[in-house]
Amino acid sequence: MNQNIYNFSAGPSVLPKEATKQAAEAILNFANTGVGILEMSHRTPPIENMVAQTDSLLRELLQIPDSYEILFLGGGASLQFSMVPLNLCSSDDTVDYTDTGVWAAKAIKEAKQLAHVNVVSSSKESIYSYIPKDFNQSAKATYLHVTSNNTIYGTQWKTFPKANTYLVSDMSSDILSRKINVSDFGLIYAGAQKNMSCAGVTVVIVRKDILGKTNRIVPTMLQYQTHIEAKSMFNTPPVFPIYVMNRTLNWLQENGGVENIEKINIEKSNLLYEALDQSKLFMGTAAKEDRSTMNVPFVFNKENVSENQIQSLEKDFLNFTTEQGLVQLKGHRSVGGFRASIYNAMPIDGIKALVQALEDFEKKVI
Ligand SMILES: Cc1ncc(COP(=O)(O)O)c(C=O)c1O
């Protein structure tokens, strides 16, 4: 295929070409062993070294202190919605949660089965179009949970609230997109299939001193301690997704690390938001001050497009963009319209092509 394809999928999503190419090669021959990575035991030196190297790369890129463990687990970020309360609090403890979207609400639902949950703030009444920042924490909460980037609604905590005790954050859709101070968090978790890898592995970064404080019985596979002691090899880990992560982290390191990608992400998202702000046809849906640098939902501006035109115009726009190689722009059903997910691996040329398409389509319609 000669045409450039720009993939705006919300996840699984675009990965660096170099990383996917190296991963494809490893399927046939991993680390010059003559054996493919999919066919190799996890208890062999090449795989053990690769997992250890992935840990070091992530530690370096996010400047993770030695007091934190990094785990590579299965089960997706969704399993962390239960593993977090299971491991960090007892059933009669109180935990604070911010309700900033569907994923935050799912985390709340699971935690409610395992502890007393205090939902300290919510923007549900406005279809989660902003970050509800004003709230009081419970006097005795074990932790405060935030979803750092709300993938569906395109909102992001620009500065994190200060927790009375410690913060727990779901960073599935913006990990490695900006500098963070890991020491501000007790625990960070993230499904890999946006900024880090393909689906199949979930990263947990946990400060060791917050563990071992509950009085509940937790199944062995659900204890962080199990995976800490076994260096993420208690059972067969998702080796291939870890390798894709290894190559993606290597790409990020070679391209100036988190500090540099943060600048690029700001430039990319500004370009797109400026185009949306200038448009008469399109408009962003998230509150300006909370706009995400990773996910940009947008809709037709109803001041200039009549309600009964919208459905057919949406189809036309998706056909128009797809023809130009700009794919996966359909919005999430709860917001409607369109969503451009512009993770680390989306090149700036992809944003420029999208901005051009927005302008060209507008000229055709208005
Ligand atoms: C912020 C956030 N949290 C959690 C999830 C769920 O992740 P998983 O499918 O790995 O369970 C997603 C998926 O898109 C997400 O965007």
Side-chain angles (χ1 to χ4, degrees), residues 83-135:
M83 274 181 82
V84 163
L86 268 176
N87 282 271
L88 300 185
C89 62
S90 302
S91 56
D92 50 2
D93 287 348
T94 297
V95 286
D96 282 350
Y97 276 70
T98 50
D99 177 24
T100 54
V102 160
W103 297 112
K106 287 190 182 191
I108 290 167
K109 182 167 177 249
E110 291 306 306
K112 277 187 173 166
Q113 300 187 52
L114 297 161
H116 297 293
V117 174
N118 182 24
V119 178
V120 293
S121 68
S122 174
S123 50
K124 188 173 181 189
E125 86 296 339
S126 80
I127 323 181
Y128 296 118
S129 62
Y130 69 97
I131 296 285
K133 305 173 198 75
D134 293 328
F135 56 81

Side-chain angles (χ1 to χ4, degrees), residues 75-79 81 103 147 149 151 170 172-173 191 193-194 202:
S78 299
L79 182 59
F81 298 161
W103 297 112
T147 309
N149 183 72
T151 325
D170 175 358
S172 294
S173 53
Q193 64 272 20
K194 297 162 204 306
T202 303

Side-chain angles (χ1 to χ4, degrees), residues 163-202:
N164 290 343
T165 49
Y166 58 85
L167 275 176
V168 171
S169 184
D170 175 358
M171 293 197 185
S172 294
S173 53
D174 70 351
I175 192 162
L176 294 163
S177 70
R178 56 174 168 165
K179 274 187 87 169
I180 52 162
N181 184 9
V182 172
S183 304
D184 291 343
F185 301 85
L187 188 145
I188 293 167
Y189 62 94
Q193 64 272 20
K194 297 162 204 306
N195 260 343
M196 291 192 288
S197 181
C198 55
V201 63
T202 303

Side-chain angles (χ1 to χ4, degrees), residues 7-14 295 327-329 339 341-343 346:
N7 171 13
F8 293 91
S9 171
S13 44
V14 60
N295 310 96
V327 300
Q328 305 278 330
L329 279 166
R339 173 173 47 166
S341 294
I342 52 174
Y343 298 115
M346 170 59 67

Side-chain angles (χ1 to χ4, degrees), residues 6-28:
Y6 293 111
N7 171 13
F8 293 91
S9 171
S13 44
V14 60
L15 289 167
K17 278 270 174 303
E18 295 92 315
T20 49
K21 199 158 168 278
Q22 289 164 350
E25 282 160 10
I27 288 178
L28 298 174

Side-chain angles (χ1 to χ4, degrees), residues 30 44 46 49 70 82 90 104 112 129 146 149 164 225 230 282 314:
F30 179 61
T44 51
N49 292 343
I70 301 174
S82 337
S90 302
K112 277 187 173 166
S129 62
V146 292
N149 183 72
N164 290 343
Q225 198 56 37
F282 299 99
E314 279 185 357

